[in-house]
């Protein structure tokens, strides 16, 4: 059967036909490394890692590239604040990225290029765009891409040049010939990181890096370009325009975009300040709960983030893990079932759902059904073949999506129950206005690393780590 994915450029589900049969070449825009990643950053990483695993499960060889943007205003600002070199900020947060990625079981891509390793290739590309008449040098040594020189501009995001002009917030920038033009190269202020170029001492603009790194590593035209939907315009529109202007060939054949994580209607972003860090989420809810949360809605839809929703995912993930543990503690070595009609049927259902625009909610529902069957078979205990088969397919399907990959261990301590009971006792004291006793409980828990929060919705607790400077 064929794999269908929604191509942002056409807005339609299209059959995936790769340039080289059996090989998928894929580029995913990666993080700007100036801070720890939050759940919103983790979504494309988790979703496209799972999609890659599925492609491999279907027999494709996948060549995947995910970049690190290691030069950017935010990195420079951070470096200035810390009084260090921008490279040290980037290096620090690349290391931190890998810690978080590992804690979520996200596999490394085949290539993780860094912008600053590609500056000479970027200069070459910009030079070529100037000589082809798609870009121009401004008085100060900036180089801009001339949007109107590229006829197909706007086809990815479905925007027309006239509408862009009407909606454009005209920047105070006399250097541009047209407010729509965007920077390929920026002449820099003294003290900023810089590289030599024929036009000025400066640094690359943001969009050009992904064009250059993807085409150097995957070829002029490759199969899938992916990222968050907030990147469609202008980032991906600009990437497409420069790349196609440069080579005269189509850039990516399919564009896949994941929806945003929202909290109370706002996109999760560092600039709004409503972020929840991956490392905090993994600590509080567990790796599988976070991944289940990110994969149990279709990748194109927005997902609402809240403590309640994550807690539900935690409970759900623990149900499966407990079931697997129950089986694996009794059977620590693999048991291979005979492949029967049932297995073939359930496998084709699983594949069908994922072939249909990577419908992970449907595939995950199937894993939950299987886990229920496994529990039933264990209660019953007679049918050894059924036990083996439910166990194996639950595990295999989980691993296709990168879920429940841990070994058998007790993951659900009694901690929550114990804490709830302690808080009930404290509540009693508060009702009796015995605040001294209530505070004693609060302080004792604090010593144990548990913070108590009295909110209008009741008393909550959270674990905290004290950071000593
Ligand atoms: Zn990019």
């Amino acid at each position: 059967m064929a794999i269908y994915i929604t191509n942002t450029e056409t807005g339609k589900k299209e059959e995936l036909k790769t340039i080289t049969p059996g090989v998928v070449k894929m580029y995913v825009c990666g993080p700007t490394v100036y801070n720890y990643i939050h759940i919103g950053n983790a979504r494309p990483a988790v979703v496209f890692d799972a999609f890659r695993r599925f492609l491999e499960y279907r027999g494709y060889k996948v060549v995947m590239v995910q970049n690190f943007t290691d030069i950017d205003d935010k990195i420079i600002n951070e470096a200035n604040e810390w009084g260090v070199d921008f490279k040290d900020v980037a290096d620090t947060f690349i290391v931190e990225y890998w810690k978080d990625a590992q804690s979520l079981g996200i596999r490394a891509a085949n290539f993780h290029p860094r912008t600053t390793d590609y500056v000479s290739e970027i200069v070459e590309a910009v030079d070529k765009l100037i000589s082809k008449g798609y870009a121009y040098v401004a008085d100060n040594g900036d180089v801009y891409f001339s949007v109107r020189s590229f006829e197909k501009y706007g086809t990815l995001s479905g925007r027309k040049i006239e509408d862009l002009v009407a909606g454009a917030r005209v920047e105070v920038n006399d250097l541009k010939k047209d407010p729509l033009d965007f920077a390929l190269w920026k002449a820099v202020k003294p003290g900023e990181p810089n590289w030599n170029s024929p036009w000025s001492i400066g640094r690359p603009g943001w969009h050009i890096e992904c064009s250059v790194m993807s085409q150097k590593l995957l070829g002029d035209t490759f199969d899938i370009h992916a990222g968050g939907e907030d990147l469609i315009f202008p980032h991906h529109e600009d990437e497409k325009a420069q790349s196609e202007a440069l080579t005269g060939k189509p850039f990516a054949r399919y564009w896949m975009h994941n929806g945003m994580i929202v909290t109370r209607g706002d996109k999760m972003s560092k600039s709004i300040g409503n972020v929840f860090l991956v490392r905090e989420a993994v600590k509080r809810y567990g790796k599988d709960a976070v991944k289940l949360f990110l994969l149990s809605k279709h990748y194109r839809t927005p997902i609402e983030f809240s403590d309640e929703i994550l807690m539900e995912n935690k409970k759900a993930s623990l149900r499966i893990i407990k079931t697997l543990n129950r089986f694996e503690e009794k059977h620590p070595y693999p048991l291979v079932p005979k492949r029967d009609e049932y297995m073939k049927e359930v496998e084709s259902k699983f594949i069908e759902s994922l072939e249909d625009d990577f419908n992970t909610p449907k595939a995950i529902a199937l894993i939950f059904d299987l886990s229920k069957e496994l529990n039933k078979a264990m209660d019953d205990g007679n049918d050894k073949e059924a036990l083996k088969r439910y166990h194996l397919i639950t595990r295999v399907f989980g691993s296709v999506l990168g879920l429940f990959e841990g070994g058998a261990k007790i993951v659900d301590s009694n901690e929550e129950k114990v804490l709830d009971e302690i808080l009930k006792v404290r509540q009693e004291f508060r009702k009796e206005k015995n605040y001294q006793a209530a505070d004693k409980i609060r302080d004792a828990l604090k010593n144990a690393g548990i913070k108590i929060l009295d909110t209008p919705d009741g008393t909550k607790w959270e674990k905290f780590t004290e950071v000593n400077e």
Side-chain angles (χ1 to χ4, degrees):
M1 278 289 288
I3 294 175
Y4 285 81
I5 46 177
T6 298
N7 184 359
T8 305
E9 192 169 3
T10 58
K12 291 192 184 104
K13 272 188 209 174
E14 293 177 14
E15 187 182 336
L16 176 66
K17 289 181 183 160
T18 59
I19 298 164
T20 309
V23 178
V24 177
K25 292 188 177 180
M26 183 169 177
Y27 185 90
V28 186
C29 285
T32 301
V33 280
Y34 73 103
N35 210 329
Y36 305 103
I37 60 164
H38 57 73
I39 297 290
N41 307 129
R43 190 174 187 189
V46 166
V47 163
F48 296 115
D49 174 56
F51 184 60
R52 172 203 197 186
R53 289 165 184 256
F54 172 62
L55 292 172
E56 287 174 346
Y57 176 62
R58 298 299 294 130
Y60 284 96
K61 176 181 160 55
V62 183
V63 185
M64 188 166 172
V65 180
Q66 189 198 54
N67 69 305
F68 285 116
T69 296
D70 66 348
I71 177 75
D72 173 271
D73 283 340
K74 293 181 213 117
I75 298 172
I76 297 171
N77 291 344
E78 203 72 14
N80 289 342
E81 222 163 273
W82 294 12
V84 298
D85 195 74
F86 81 98
K87 249 186 160 6
D88 298 328
V89 173
D91 285 347
T92 300
F93 288 108
I94 287 174
V95 170
E96 297 306 312
Y97 172 84
W98 284 120
K99 283 188 202 163
D100 289 330
Q102 239 163 38
S103 79
L104 284 176
I106 296 166
R107 287 164 48 199
N110 301 80
F111 300 96
H112 286 276
R114 294 170 64 149
T115 316
T116 55
D117 288 333
Y118 282 81
V119 176
S120 60
E121 286 87 346
I122 290 170
V123 169
E124 219 176 280
V126 174
D127 203 35
K128 212 167 158 193
L129 284 169
I130 298 171
S131 59
K132 284 186 131 189
Y134 287 107
Y136 58 90
V137 186
D139 290 343
N140 70 335
D142 282 0
V143 181
Y144 292 98
F145 185 87
S146 162
V147 164
R148 284 176 198 274
S149 70
F150 186 71
E151 225 174 277
K152 283 187 288 178
Y153 192 85
T155 52
L156 175 65
S157 56
R159 289 167 203 236
K160 293 197 179 80
I161 295 239
E162 308 87 72
D163 301 339
L164 288 172
V165 176
R169 275 180 297 156
V170 182
E171 278 179 68
V172 189
N173 184 345
D174 307 331
L175 300 162
K176 290 185 192 179
K177 289 185 186 162
D178 188 313
L180 298 178
D181 297 347
F182 58 88
L184 296 169
W185 185 262
K186 298 178 191 174
V188 297
K189 298 172 205 104
E192 284 186 350
N194 61 70
W195 290 264
N196 277 325
S197 82
W199 325 288
S200 58
I201 290 174
R203 61 182 167 97
W206 173 35
H207 315 301
I208 190 72
E209 68 175 76
C210 287
S211 288
V212 168
M213 292 190 285
S214 62
Q215 291 187 307
K216 286 284 168 203
L217 293 164
L218 298 174
D220 291 346
T221 306
F222 54 92
D223 299 301
I224 300 172
H225 194 314
E229 69 174 9
D230 54 342
L231 297 179
I232 298 173
F233 188 87
H235 184 52
H236 288 165
E237 191 71 65
D238 291 352
E239 266 189 50
K240 183 177 182 310
Q242 340 164 110
S243 302
E244 296 186 354
L246 202 58
T247 63
K249 295 177 209 164
F251 182 43
R253 292 177 55 158
Y254 306 88
W255 291 85
M256 284 175 87
H257 289 102
N258 65 274
M260 297 292 101
I261 307 285
V262 292
T263 49
R264 292 185 203 92
D266 286 324
K267 173 184 137 185
M268 186 179 281
S269 83
K270 282 167 196 151
S271 51
I272 298 177
N274 58 348
V275 299
F276 205 95
L277 297 183
V278 164
R279 55 192 58 195
E280 287 168 3
V282 170
K283 207 161 118 191
R284 182 163 169 81
Y285 310 108
K287 162 190 156 186
D288 288 303
V290 175
K291 292 188 92 167
L292 200 58
F293 164 74
L294 293 171
L295 293 169
S296 57
K297 289 261 157 52
H298 191 263
Y299 72 92
R300 299 187 74 239
T301 57
I303 324 182
E304 176 76 26
F305 176 94
S306 74
D307 188 55
E308 288 75 18
I309 296 168
L310 262 293
M311 277 299 181
E312 277 165 28
N313 279 282
K314 182 176 180 177
K315 276 185 198 144
S317 66
L318 286 176
R319 275 209 302 278
I320 302 240
I321 294 168
K322 274 184 193 164
T323 304
L324 289 170
N325 285 350
R326 186 181 165 198
F327 181 84
E328 287 168 16
E329 275 160 12
K330 274 202 188 129
H331 309 282
Y333 298 101
L335 296 168
V336 185
K338 290 192 189 80
R339 199 173 173 79
D340 56 12
E341 279 312 309
Y342 176 86
M343 280 176 77
K344 283 182 204 159
E345 199 183 303
V346 77
E347 187 186 33
S348 61
K349 263 196 211 165
F350 181 73
I351 291 171
E352 260 169 46
S353 57
L354 294 174
E355 280 180 342
D356 180 17
D357 201 15
F358 201 47
N359 192 333
T360 53
K362 222 169 158 185
I364 287 172
L366 204 58
I367 297 177
F368 276 91
D369 290 345
L370 286 166
S371 155
K372 255 185 230 154
E373 294 297 335
L374 176 58
N375 254 326
K376 260 193 243 160
M378 281 189 282
D379 292 342
D380 182 27
N382 295 323
D383 189 346
K384 287 278 176 310
E385 275 308 306
L387 275 175
K388 290 188 215 168
R389 119 186 133 192
Y390 290 131
H391 171 256
L392 183 78
I393 44 187
T394 309
R395 271 268 177 234
V396 170
F397 291 179
S399 77
V400 170
L401 296 173
L403 287 165
F404 318 119
E405 290 186 305
K409 57 179 185 271
I410 303 300
V411 286
D412 190 22
S413 68
N414 264 332
E415 184 184 66
E416 270 177 59
K417 278 183 206 150
V418 172
L419 274 163
D420 286 343
E421 291 304 319
I422 293 174
L423 290 182
K424 270 188 213 159
V425 175
R426 178 171 172 267
Q427 202 53 31
E428 297 283 312
F429 283 133
R430 278 163 58 91
K431 267 193 203 145
E432 294 161 11
K433 299 207 186 319
N434 185 353
Y435 295 113
Q436 215 182 345
D439 288 349
K440 255 191 194 163
I441 293 179
R442 187 197 58 204
D443 296 342
L445 288 174
K446 196 179 165 205
N447 289 338
I450 309 281
K451 194 162 117 188
I452 301 298
L453 304 157
D454 291 309
T455 74
D457 306 329
T459 305
K460 292 183 176 165
W461 59 271
E462 63 182 37
K463 287 188 190 176
F464 70 95
T465 324
E466 248 178 286
V467 182
N468 295 317
E469 282 291 318

